[in-house]
Amino acid sequence: CLENTDPRTRGRGIQLLSQVLLQCYSLLQEKEVLHLVLFYENRLQDHHLVIPSVLQGLQALSMCEVLSPGLAVSVLKAIFQEVHVQSLLQLDRHTVYSIITNFMGTREEELKGLGADFTFGFIQVMDGEKDPRNLLVAFQIVRDLIAKNYALGPFVEELFEVTSCYFPIDFTPPPHDPHGIQREDLILSLRAVLASTPQFAEFLLPLLIEKMDSDLQSAKLDSLQTLTACCAIYGQKELQEFLPSLWSSLRREVFQTASEKVEAECLAALHALSACLSRSVLSSDTEDLLDSFLSSILQDCRHHLCEPDMKLVWPSAKLLQAAAGASLRAYHCITRSVLPLLLEQYTKHPQSSQRRTILEMLLGFLELQQKWGHVEEDESALLSLRAPVCSVVFSALTDPSVQLQLVGIRALTVLGSLQGFLSPSDLELVVDHLVHLALHEEDSQSSEAAMEAAGSLAPIYPKVFSGRMVPRLEEALQCVSSSEWEEESSHNHCSLQQRCLQALAAVSTHTSIVKETVPVLLQHLRKVQKGSEAGNTRDVICVCQSLHRVALQCQRDAEGCGYFHQTAVPCLLAMAVQAAMPESTHPLLGKPLLEEEVLAAMVPVISTATTHLSPELAAQSVSHVVPLFLDGEVSFLPQNSFPCSFQPFEDGECLEAQRRLVALLMAFVCSLPRNVAIPQQERLLRELLVLSCSCNCPFTATTAAKCFAGLVNKHPAGKGPGQYPMGPCPLLAGEWLSLSLLSPGQQLDDILQLAVNRMEPGLAEGPCRAQALTLLLWVTKALVLRYHPLSSHLTDKLLGLLGDAELGPAAADGFSLLMAESPDVLHKGCHADVRIMFRQRFFTDNVPKLVQGFHRAGPDVKANYLKGLSHVLNHLPRPVLVTELPTLLPLLLEALSCSDRVVQLSTLSCLQPLLLEAPQIMSLHINTLVNQFLSLTSSPAMAVRIAALRCAHALTSLPITVLLPYKARVIRALAKPLDDKKRLVRKEAVAARGEW
């Protein structure tokens, strides 16, 4: 074939040889490679039909490690001389680029020996390239030419021209493109070339200025981003000639553009220019271009800050701040001129709205100072203006305008963060203003912002805040608590007391301050507990919320966390135990600490105080708390002289109050790290199991079940997959094993066996069916989270209960509990064993059973299956749900016809995002969707009406051809909810109807 006179036949022969070489090039010897290279070089002069196969062979040889010196140069010279690359097909051109890339990677020094001839040869190869796949490789070759210092010689401009002709990139990938090349890939690759060397500056900067003046937004953005990238490698020399034109273009765009993207890129480019000029090292005889550049910026922007209509104030301020933020030198240069002017303008403008604008600009410059930390006395204009700056900020804090106050508070926070700026007297004024705003400002926005500012500044000035602010807040709290308030001012009293508590919590961001505030909060809690007013429950909850915030803030610091736990937890337990002591025939009356909502507010305090404990402190604490509940051991509690023993797990009606405190036990033991050993754990689990199944108080039974579940979830693993039949226990009723003699795994197996046999008779009949269901739900959740084999048996039992007339609705709601994040136990924050993708696994295992059960169920219980299904789907990650949508959508549409409002609401909230994420599938059911959504806009339940209107709104994301036949009907139907009696419904109706 190789000697055949027919070029096609020769081409087939060379193609076969080249394909063999591509498979075995690594096995060739040096002489063989030499012989083949000479052959292939000669074949480059052959017929054009042969050339693609020749290039394939040279590509294989370019990867040989035994290539003799000089052959790489010889091959490339032959290609440059003999092959007109741009007349070849895309794949063959790509082969040429691959040969060049291979040689540049392995024969760099040899290629550099060619000097500028190699650069010129590549320019000829690339000139006219149009295919995006090849351009990505070609751009990479140019980057390597420059980065590896190949000689460009007199061909710098030609190399620039051959690449810059693609700028700005205008490429739209074809639909279903298998190569996956995006426009952004080409943009970034070309930008890396253009911004790779200062040698391109004299050609590139005029091009960028031209494209910045273009009408195309994409061209403007690309030019500005490329300019920003260039500034990283340019110096004064490259920029000097073009600075006036660049500044003119940037200024015009910021002053005139309506695009936020263009404005942001202009400001980034200006920042980069200023930073580039700031970096340049000056010699004694060169002009300081930064100074002259900033002077022109000040000249063009400064006067706009003084205009009475303030039309160009913000654009000018943004330009000045962008330039000033580039370096400390630029910052000093601009602020020396601008800050006095802004302070002067603030005093000239009496209106709050104008003052707010000026103060926001001032705030922008203050925030820039934060980048460099300490204020330098000799250079900073800011320090010389300390008095007027503080005066302006303090005046804003006392202004009637809430919006001006909010900006003032932000400015105050920034000033406080500047080390060395505020004097001791200024700091005292700061604290006084923050206290006044936090406690006495009518608008809650200002009050909350002041508290946040106090929390930010307290760690910087702990002595000032603990010595001045905390006593002021404590005094205010005592005054509010002891005052005789008139009936009409009781609301103000409650609001002021709540603000005092919130402020004490907000300022507790440093351990030394926590040691001052926590005793104040606990003392106030004792005082409130002893009162008998009707509002005491609300007051106790406010204190607990403040303690919870302090506990969250203490988690950042081990010392603070330990102090809070050792101080607050025993105190809370002591007060609760005291309140639970039987003192009368009505043990729960006048005892706010025993009310469900108060205990629910105490749970997160104890839980948060426990999750981040050191192992030593956790072990010490658990050795006190568990014996307190099991044995009544109260010696570790403060004020531990109680009138009778504490026995929450004993029988007796008089101990109902004590049993409620199991909620606090749950908060503690379920928040401990998994590696902390719990003393008497098997006994504790047995007691919790009995209490959860036998207690008549739903609150106590539920917390006992949650505590049991939390401990089971963290218990060391059992023997593995086994059978836990929902049937008679092999142990006789009432007969307990001593689990302490068993291994941890065997302990868990036996505990779960006991739980199963407790639940089975309870679910079958009797007065405690609801308690047994609650225990079943929580134990199932604990096991589902950790992929325990028993979870499938318990889930099957739950599925069976959906057909129960009495427990079916509650069992259906239980699927929400299984899938949702629990706020107090069984979540990652409290160290629970939560496996990834447990929801997807639950969905895969149980949704087919739900669907099957629905089809088999009688008409009176079908709604239970729909409710359970909608709960599962509502908590499933959207990508998983979208893949299963074709099979589940008919069932979801049937759920909309259900009369149960919970089912309707859950299904609507599930469908709304699917309309946006799976329009093609949803379009197939457009008729049913429109009918159901419009019908539900007249539902008696406001939440259902709102959800239906949101879904009707989301329908507009479907293809327009699908919607047009329904347009007139939907617009008519949505006129009715425009007159709905509820404002929130009317708001959704306006949005949905307007979109249609």
Side-chain angles (χ1 to χ4, degrees):
C1 286
L2 296 179
E3 295 179 342
N4 196 290
T5 56
D6 179 30
R8 286 182 176 81
T9 307
R10 288 202 306 281
R12 284 198 299 273
I14 294 173
Q15 184 182 25
L16 174 60
L17 177 61
S18 297
Q19 288 172 345
V20 170
L21 290 176
L22 283 167
Q23 297 295 322
C24 68
Y25 64 86
S26 60
L27 307 176
L28 298 175
Q29 297 175 15
E30 186 174 348
K31 287 183 180 179
E32 294 168 336
V33 173
L34 173 62
H35 190 72
L36 288 164
V37 166
L38 294 174
F39 167 75
Y40 273 107
E41 283 184 10
N42 181 264
R43 291 300 89 201
L44 285 174
Q45 302 172 19
D46 204 335
H47 195 279
H48 67 88
L49 292 174
V50 175
I51 299 302
S53 300
V54 175
L55 292 173
Q56 280 187 3
L58 288 172
Q59 181 185 12
L61 295 171
S62 71
M63 294 185 281
C64 291
E65 294 181 5
V66 295
L67 196 70
S68 301
L71 286 183
V73 170
S74 174
V75 169
L76 289 180
K77 278 184 175 181
I79 291 175
F80 293 159
Q81 289 172 7
E82 305 295 343
V83 182
H84 184 247
V85 176
Q86 288 307 313
S87 65
L88 301 174
L89 295 176
Q90 179 270 328
L91 184 60
D92 302 325
R93 301 199 304 276
H94 193 278
T95 303
V96 175
Y97 296 127
S98 298
I99 294 169
I100 296 172
T101 302
N102 292 339
F103 283 146
M104 288 180 74
T106 59
R107 298 289 189 270
E108 182 179 331
E109 293 305 319
E110 291 181 37
L111 300 191
K112 286 182 177 178
L114 276 172
D117 289 344
F118 174 60
T119 304
F120 180 67
F122 173 72
I123 291 171
Q124 287 180 310
V125 166
M126 182 185 173
D127 193 9
E129 182 60 65
K130 291 183 175 62
D131 191 278
R133 293 164 287 180
N134 291 348
L135 283 173
L136 285 177
V137 184
F139 289 157
Q140 181 62 54
I141 292 172
V142 179
R143 288 210 299 276
D144 290 341
L145 279 173
I146 295 167
K148 296 179 180 179
N149 296 315
Y150 281 80
L152 305 185
F155 304 115
V156 173
E157 185 173 1
E158 284 78 2
L159 186 62
F160 172 77
E161 290 295 340
V162 84
T163 51
S164 65
C165 62
Y166 302 101
F167 183 85
I169 294 288
D170 181 19
F171 168 68
T172 304
H176 314 299
D177 178 20
H179 307 289
I181 296 176
Q182 299 297 316
R183 179 170 175 269
E184 191 65 21
D185 299 328
L186 290 166
I187 288 174
L188 294 176
S189 189
L190 177 57
R191 185 177 302 152
V193 171
L194 298 177
S196 60
T197 173
Q199 295 181 72
F200 285 167
E202 60 179 305
F203 317 112
L204 176 60
L205 290 175
L207 176 64
L208 294 180
I209 293 168
E210 176 192 336
K211 299 300 180 184
M212 282 161 63
D213 298 342
S214 163
D215 293 332
L216 284 175
Q217 180 172 313
S218 60
K220 289 180 189 289
L221 292 172
D222 203 352
S223 302
L224 291 164
Q225 290 164 354
T226 304
L227 174 60
T228 303
C230 289
C231 288
I233 62 161
Y234 286 3
Q236 281 204 162
K237 184 180 71 171
E238 288 77 24
L239 292 173
Q240 183 169 9
E241 180 186 346
F242 304 99
L243 279 176
S245 300
L246 287 168
W247 164 237
S248 175
S249 296
L250 293 172
R251 181 190 63 214
R252 186 186 62 254
E253 289 300 329
V254 173
F255 281 169
Q256 297 178 4
T257 186
S259 166
E260 290 184 7
K261 285 184 179 179
V262 172
E263 181 188 86
E265 293 300 339
C266 282
L267 297 175
L270 180 60
H271 179 95
L273 283 169
S274 181
C276 177
L277 297 175
S278 301
R279 283 195 307 270
S280 299
V281 179
L282 301 177
S283 57
S284 58
D285 58 342
T286 56
E287 178 191 0
D288 184 358
L289 281 184
L290 175 66
D291 195 46
S292 59
F293 183 59
L294 296 178
S295 296
S296 61
I297 295 175
L298 284 166
Q299 181 181 343
D300 290 341
C301 294
R302 195 176 182 276
H303 64 278
H304 289 304
L305 304 180
C306 308
E307 291 174 355
D309 60 357
M310 305 186 82
K311 182 180 178 183
L312 292 175
V313 159
W314 266 120
S316 300
K318 287 177 181 178
L319 288 166
L320 289 166
Q321 287 168 6
S327 68
L328 190 56
R329 191 154 63 101
Y331 178 78
H332 288 323
C333 179
I334 286 181
T335 52
R336 272 198 301 268
S337 174
V338 172
L339 289 187
L341 182 64
L342 289 175
L343 295 170
E344 179 188 335
Q345 291 299 307
Y346 185 90
T347 55
K348 277 186 179 179
H349 290 85
Q351 292 183 6
S352 295
S353 60
Q354 293 175 322
R355 287 190 159 193
R356 176 192 166 197
T357 301
I358 295 165
L359 188 56
E360 282 182 328
M361 289 188 288
L362 181 63
L363 174 61
F365 286 103
L366 295 178
E367 287 171 336
L368 291 176
Q369 176 69 60
Q370 285 181 304
K371 291 171 63 175
W372 295 286
H374 187 70
V375 183
E376 299 290 342
E377 289 190 29
D378 54 343
E379 288 190 52
S380 176
L382 190 57
L383 204 60
S384 63
L385 297 169
R386 179 191 314 189
V389 167
C390 289
S391 173
V392 162
V393 173
F394 291 153
S395 75
L397 299 177
T398 56
D399 193 274
S401 165
V402 173
Q403 296 305 316
L404 181 53
Q405 284 179 8
L406 292 173
V407 181
I409 292 168
R410 285 165 55 204
L412 192 67
T413 308
V414 174
L415 288 180
S417 68
L418 299 176
Q419 187 182 355
F421 185 80
L422 294 176
S423 66
S425 59
D426 290 333
L427 282 170
E428 291 181 0
L429 268 176
V430 167
V431 171
D432 293 345
H433 279 296
L434 291 177
V435 170
H436 177 80
L437 288 167
L439 301 185
H440 304 296
E441 178 54 48
E442 288 184 17
D443 189 89
S444 60
Q445 276 183 288
S446 295
S447 175
E448 290 167 9
M451 293 181 199
E452 291 295 329
S456 300
L457 295 176
I460 305 173
Y461 309 102
K463 289 184 179 179
V464 177
F465 279 83
S466 62
R468 190 172 182 88
M469 188 167 188
V470 174
R472 293 273 305 273
L473 294 173
E474 182 181 4
E475 181 184 350
L477 186 60
Q478 289 173 350
C479 290
V480 174
S481 304
S482 60
S483 296
E484 296 295 328
W485 291 77
E486 299 295 333
E487 188 63 32
E488 61 270 15
S489 64
S490 60
H491 173 73
N492 294 335
H493 160 264
C494 176
S495 174
L496 183 56
Q497 178 170 278
Q498 186 175 351
R499 284 191 177 187
C500 287
L501 295 170
Q502 290 172 342
L504 282 166
V507 79
S508 303
T509 49
H510 189 273
T511 303
S512 64
I513 302 174
V514 170
K515 292 178 180 179
E516 302 288 334
T517 55
V518 169
V520 174
L521 291 169
L522 293 174
Q523 182 58 39
H524 183 69
L525 185 58
R526 291 191 194 94
K527 192 174 182 179
V528 173
Q529 180 202 3
K530 294 174 183 175
S532 58
E533 291 85 358
N536 276 9
T537 298
R538 184 177 61 245
D539 294 343
V540 172
I541 291 173
C542 285
V543 180
C544 290
Q545 289 170 342
S546 294
L547 285 168
H548 181 223
R549 180 170 181 176
V550 177
L552 283 170
Q553 291 164 179
C554 285
Q555 288 182 340
R556 308 165 195 161
D557 173 64
E559 183 188 353
C561 184
Y563 170 81
F564 183 88
H565 181 87
Q566 290 178 300
T567 306
V569 172
C571 185
L572 292 174
L573 290 172
M575 283 189 273
V577 170
Q578 181 66 56
M581 289 296 148
E583 297 172 2
S584 67
T585 54
H586 301 288
L588 299 182
L589 291 179
K591 300 281 187 69
L593 281 184
L594 299 178
E595 295 186 21
E596 290 180 17
E597 55 265 44
V598 173
L599 287 170
M602 292 174 73
V603 164
V605 180
I606 294 176
S607 176
T608 307
T610 306
T611 52
H612 286 64
L613 286 182
S614 65
E616 299 77 21
L617 187 52
Q620 176 189 329
S621 196
V622 75
S623 68
H624 294 315
V625 175
V626 173
L628 167 67
F629 282 85
L630 289 178
D631 306 313
E633 180 56 60
V634 298
S635 59
F636 81 101
L637 297 177
Q639 302 171 344
N640 53 22
S641 56
F642 302 111
C644 59
S645 59
F646 180 62
Q647 299 170 317
F649 290 113
E650 296 295 324
D651 293 330
E653 190 175 339
C654 62
L655 297 177
E656 180 188 345
Q658 294 188 8
R659 285 195 283 272
R660 284 175 166 247
L661 301 193
V662 170
L664 305 184
L665 172 66
M666 173 199 74
F668 175 77
V669 295
C670 291
S671 301
L672 290 167
R674 272 185 263 173
N675 58 0
V676 175
I678 297 175
Q680 307 182 69
Q681 183 170 4
E682 63 277 3
R683 178 185 164 198
L684 178 60
L685 284 164
R686 293 200 302 265
E687 298 286 11
L688 290 166
L689 187 58
V690 173
L691 186 62
S692 65
C693 291
S694 59
C695 183
N696 293 324
C697 171
F699 175 79
T700 303
T702 301
T703 52
K706 288 162 76 172
C707 190
F708 180 85
L711 292 173
V712 163
N713 173 265
K714 296 181 187 178
H715 201 288
K719 61 194 174 187
Q723 296 301 313
Y724 296 84
M726 297 292 284
C729 180
L731 304 169
L732 295 174
E735 197 174 304
W736 298 98
L737 283 178
S738 176
L739 301 179
S740 59
L741 302 176
L742 305 174
S743 67
Q746 187 63 44
Q747 285 178 24
L748 178 61
D749 292 335
D750 289 355
I751 289 162
L752 291 173
Q753 184 69 66
L754 293 172
V756 164
N757 289 281
R758 270 272 171 181
M759 288 185 278
E760 177 67 18
L763 289 168
E765 57 183 358
C768 296
R769 294 190 78 199
Q771 290 93 317
L773 175 60
T774 300
L775 179 62
L776 172 64
L777 287 169
W778 282 103
V779 174
T780 304
K781 183 177 179 71
L783 300 182
V784 164
L785 292 177
R786 61 180 284 177
Y787 291 176
H788 193 278
L790 179 58
S791 62
S792 59
H793 296 278
L794 299 184
T795 308
D796 288 343
K797 181 64 181 174
L798 188 60
L799 287 164
L801 289 172
L802 292 174
D804 187 287
E806 180 188 351
L807 294 180
D813 285 331
F815 282 90
S816 176
L817 185 151
L818 294 181
M819 299 293 284
E821 186 85 5
S822 174
D824 42 12
V825 294
L826 296 177
H827 59 87
K828 287 186 178 180
C830 64
H831 311 289
D833 186 355
V834 181
R835 305 296 175 88
I836 60 169
M837 298 176 71
F838 78 89
R839 291 184 178 88
Q840 289 90 319
R841 179 168 176 167
F842 187 87
F843 170 86
T844 305
D845 291 346
N846 297 294
V847 164
K849 298 176 185 177
L850 274 169
V851 174
Q852 192 177 25
F854 168 79
H855 290 304
R856 290 178 179 173
D860 53 334
V861 294
K862 275 185 179 291
N864 296 337
Y865 289 90
L866 289 174
K867 186 189 290 188
L869 178 66
S870 63
H871 283 316
V872 173
L873 298 183
N874 239 331
H875 292 93
L876 199 65
R878 294 291 168 225
V880 180
L881 185 52
V882 168
T883 59
E884 300 292 336
L885 194 56
T887 55
L888 294 174
L889 189 55
L891 211 56
L892 286 172
L893 295 175
E894 193 166 343
L896 290 177
S897 307
C898 177
S899 58
D900 190 309
R901 292 176 186 174
V902 176
V903 176
Q904 291 173 347
L905 189 59
S906 183
T907 308
L908 287 168
S909 61
C910 182
L911 286 172
Q912 184 192 348
L914 293 175
L915 288 164
L916 305 173
E917 295 169 23
Q920 299 304 323
I921 300 171
M922 303 300 276
S923 296
L924 301 175
H925 301 269
I926 180 67
N927 192 53
T928 309
L929 289 168
V930 169
N931 291 338
Q932 294 285 14
F933 294 160
L934 294 182
S935 170
L936 291 173
T937 58
S938 303
S939 167
M942 182 183 78
V944 174
R945 297 200 301 277
I946 290 174
L949 287 165
R950 286 176 178 167
C951 286
H953 190 166
L955 278 174
T956 58
S957 64
L958 301 185
I960 193 74
T961 51
V962 175
L963 300 178
L964 280 175
Y966 301 91
K967 177 181 174 182
R969 177 187 162 201
V970 172
I971 291 174
R972 279 198 307 273
L974 293 181
K976 183 182 176 184
L978 292 177
D979 292 328
D980 197 280
K981 59 185 178 181
K982 295 293 186 181
R983 182 183 63 83
L984 293 176
V985 178
R986 296 196 301 271
K987 179 183 174 184
E988 295 295 339
V990 167
R993 192 167 185 266
E995 198 65 34
W996 273 92

